[in-house]
Amino acid sequence: MPTILSVVAVQGGAPTRTSLEVLTRCREIAAARGWTLAAAIVAPDAGTAADEAARFGAATVYTASVPDGALNPPVVAALAAIVERADAAIVAFPSSEATKEVLGALAARTGAAVLPDVASFDATEGGVTARRPVMAAKFLAVAEATAPRVLVSVRAGSYAGAPADAPSTPETIAVDVPAAETRQTLREIVAATTGGAVDLSEATVVVAAGRGVKDAEGKRLVEELAAATGAAIGASRAVVESGLFPATAQIGQTGKVVSPEVYFAVGISGAIQHTAGMSNSRVVVAINRDADAPIHQTATYSLVGDLYQILPALTAEIRRAKGLA
Amino acid sequence: MNFCVCIKQVPDVSAPIQLRGGELAMDAGRVVLNAYDASALEAALVLTEAHGGEIDVVLVGPERASETVRKALAMGATRADHLVVPEGTPLDSAAVATLLAGHLRGRAYDAILTGKQAQDSDAGLAGAMLAEHLGLPYATNAVGLDQDGGALVVTRQADAGQEVIALPTPCLVTCSNDMNDPRIPGLKGIMAAKKKEVVAQPVATVSAPAVTTRGYEALPTRAAGTRLDGEVPDMAADLVARLAGSL
């Protein structure tokens, strides 16, 4: 019986939201095809990930340990060892910079085909079919991988995560990682300093700043709205390039993909390279004084006006509603 | 340090592209050097200008991609290799990585640079696949590149913050276009490019690619929503009432 293996990323001691979305999708495919659902955890510390994998229905949980701050060699080695041990026909990952760092090398090592950064995927007779953004995220390509083993990475918010009807009691297999020579050295980690400690990719509320946010005052208003709503702060490429916001805040085709419940697009025009990163948001609130900005055409709620006036009013209103005033 | 920069000719994604009958229609003449590869080449140029060394470029593509080879030479690369595939040959990331590995095996570059992804496929796989085939230490998504003695120091954009990683040579790095603004060749560079060596050789892919594109679709569009009007305080109150429960 073929195995579909879902790689679960761990952050802050728990599986990431995108990982659980992907695990849910893998469970659906396994159920539809009568395949085995397995989960893979490669981390210094699995935290609650193994329990969550059980709650989401994995029949087998493979674990491998890598040191804290590990660079790509031990991670590729650990994933390769698990993929071979599980003899997985399909291996699905949450798409992230961490996944992008290892996906190509893992594919070459295990002889697998790859469909990266997909918006949707399904198993086929000979492999996997998927839809993925191409041409600087202007279109979806219908891609097919025909191979006995296919790696797939899935964009955040592509699927809803849901635990299994009944939790499984999985077999847990700890896989030994062959020694991986790391020839490169990590010299420094430069932590991002965005206002707010919420991880953008995991956030349920995002406040994103665009070109309309022109200065430190505008940034302050964005930060206050984010604080009032418990939001993570994102940014368009323009304000990252201007230096107002850090690169880790960038949302869009070459930045992060976010999928919050509520996305506040503040002073953002709505160019495709940006919307590619937030199109899975459930509710979009556009605040832009240009009534013709494309973002207004697809926002759930559209506020045409000066963000320097709207944001303080909105923040005050939210604080009042939450009893925080 | 001697570099090899792997480059690709891609459609100009800022040119008009339409969806017709499940296929993409665009002006075949609107092609460019992949922006991420241009950043990789620019990074190599900055380093060789400061520290010495030469830059080879290698391109996998049809005959007509020779124009992009010349563009790279005009920017300042020393010489070029063009691995020529027949026009219309389907290639996936694995096929390209295999062709490049075949070319690079046995050549002694200190560092191989590639763009982190191609603007048409947005796949982002070939660079790391190539590193695996060649057994090279690698890093992806470089937003900064420096030389420190015999090591290449990469500032990598990670999910949360940046990592500064020192790689011994030989190594491979994939580059973000956030790293720099690639130079536009001047007349002098364009004239010099005409005299630089380009070795073009036909190559064949061994088998049909495992990954193919069956067709294209439009991105799903969100339905138009509700415009809120009125004075700012009323708009704010209206919005918060509508969002109650989501926040």
Side-chain angles (χ1 to χ4, degrees):
Chain A
M1 193 192 314
T3 293
I4 179 165
L5 179 69
S6 193
V7 177
V8 176
V10 179
Q11 221 180 80
T16 65
R17 181 156 66 96
T18 310
S19 298
L20 295 178
E21 292 167 359
V22 176
L23 183 49
T24 304
R25 177 61 183 150
C26 289
R27 185 178 75 234
E28 284 168 9
I29 292 174
R33 304 206 144 235
W35 287 15
T36 303
L37 175 68
I41 304 166
V42 173
D45 175 2
T48 62
D51 290 339
E52 284 295 276
R55 214 162 67 83
F56 277 69
T60 316
V61 176
Y62 295 92
T63 64
S65 186
V66 287
D68 212 354
L71 296 173
N72 57 55
V75 177
V76 176
L79 287 166
I82 290 179
V83 167
E84 297 292 351
R85 181 68 187 273
D87 194 18
I90 297 177
V91 187
F93 296 76
S95 190
S96 63
E97 288 305 334
T99 294
K100 286 174 185 174
E101 172 81 353
V102 298
L103 199 58
L106 181 64
R109 189 170 300 187
T110 58
V114 193
L115 292 173
D117 214 38
V118 305
S120 63
F121 76 104
D122 199 357
T124 63
E125 278 317 303
V128 177
T129 185
R131 277 157 172 76
R132 49 182 306 279
V134 293
M135 295 288 175
K138 286 194 165 69
F139 299 98
L140 285 179
V142 181
E144 272 182 24
T146 306
R149 177 170 293 154
V150 182
L151 312 184
V152 182
S153 67
V154 186
R155 294 161 68 82
S158 297
Y159 294 100
D165 290 335
S168 56
T169 39
E171 185 191 1
T172 307
I173 299 176
V175 176
D176 286 325
V177 184
E181 190 196 359
T182 299
R183 287 165 281 171
Q184 58 263 54
T185 331
L186 179 64
R187 284 194 178 175
E188 198 188 337
I189 292 182
V190 182
T193 49
T194 344
V198 188
D199 177 0
L200 205 46
S201 327
E202 295 284 285
T204 49
V205 185
V206 171
V207 177
R211 205 188 288 267
V213 178
K214 295 185 174 63
D215 50 25
E217 171 63 14
K219 181 174 177 182
R220 191 184 64 79
L221 296 179
V222 165
E223 287 168 347
E224 285 184 0
L225 177 59
T229 52
I233 294 177
S236 71
R237 192 191 177 88
V239 289
V240 168
E241 282 182 349
S242 75
L244 209 52
F245 289 88
T248 38
Q250 188 172 327
I251 293 171
Q253 185 233 341
T254 56
K256 291 203 156 84
V257 173
V258 301
S259 58
E261 280 293 300
V262 183
Y263 186 91
F264 291 93
V266 179
I268 288 176
S269 66
I272 274 194
Q273 288 81 353
H274 179 79
T275 58
M278 43 67 73
S279 56
N280 284 336
S281 308
R282 203 178 61 78
V283 170
V284 175
V285 177
I287 300 165
N288 191 314
R289 72 157 137 216
D290 177 5
D292 294 327
I295 193 94
H296 285 306
Q297 275 145 38
T298 53
T300 319
Y301 302 115
S302 189
L303 282 68
V304 179
D306 182 359
L307 69 95
Y308 283 81
Q309 293 191 331
I310 293 176
L311 251 54
L314 193 50
T315 301
E317 188 60 39
I318 288 166
R319 283 202 186 120
R320 208 184 52 74
K322 287 189 170 187
L324 294 172
Chain B
M1 218 179 257
N2 292 328
F3 292 87
C4 182
V5 182
C6 304
I7 64 175
K8 184 181 183 187
Q9 183 185 72
V10 295
D12 181 355
V13 295
S14 66
I17 306 175
Q18 283 104 31
L19 198 55
R20 279 191 214 139
E23 291 303 323
L24 296 184
M26 64 192 98
D27 179 353
R30 299 280 302 262
V31 285
V32 295
L33 169 62
N34 180 35
Y36 301 93
D37 301 343
S39 280
L41 177 53
E42 175 65 29
L45 287 163
V46 168
L47 289 177
T48 52
E49 280 162 6
H51 304 283
E54 294 192 339
I55 305 169
D56 286 3
V57 293
V58 56
L59 180 148
V60 175
E63 179 80 50
R64 65 181 163 89
S66 59
E67 176 195 337
T68 292
V69 173
R70 288 290 165 199
K71 161 83 186 269
L73 293 172
M75 281 175 70
T78 314
R79 55 171 302 287
D81 288 289
H82 183 172
L83 307 185
V84 184
V85 291
E87 182 76 46
T89 305
L91 292 169
D92 63 4
S93 308
V96 171
T98 301
L99 288 171
L100 287 170
H103 171 75
L104 288 163
R105 224 164 249 131
R107 284 171 202 247
Y109 296 109
D110 296 309
I112 297 168
L113 304 183
T114 78
K116 73 171 184 178
Q117 65 199 58
Q119 285 168 263
D120 49 357
S121 69
D122 285 328
L125 297 166
M129 287 175 162
L130 179 58
E132 176 70 16
H133 287 318
L134 298 175
L136 296 176
Y138 74 91
T140 67
N141 204 16
V143 293
L145 202 62
D146 282 297
Q147 238 172 273
D148 184 5
L152 204 55
V153 180
V154 172
T155 302
R156 180 177 176 269
Q157 191 65 51
D159 287 303
Q162 296 177 341
E163 299 167 344
V164 180
I165 300 167
L167 292 126
T169 58
C171 62
L172 184 146
V173 179
T174 82
C175 300
S176 169
N177 60 342
D178 289 334
M179 189 165 13
N180 52 41
D181 281 320
R183 65 197 64 188
I184 297 169
L187 191 55
K188 195 163 156 225
I190 295 168
M191 296 308 293
K194 294 183 204 266
K195 301 199 193 94
K196 291 179 176 174
E197 177 187 76
V198 178
V199 174
Q201 53 188 302
V203 290
T205 50
V206 175
S207 50
V211 179
T212 55
T213 300
R214 287 271 172 260
Y216 298 87
E217 293 173 355
L219 291 170
T221 43
R222 303 176 68 96
T226 311
R227 177 155 158 183
L228 304 188
D229 281 310
E231 294 301 319
V232 167
D234 298 322
M235 266 203 280
D238 185 4
L239 179 65
V240 174
R242 290 169 187 268
L243 290 178
S246 296
L247 287 181

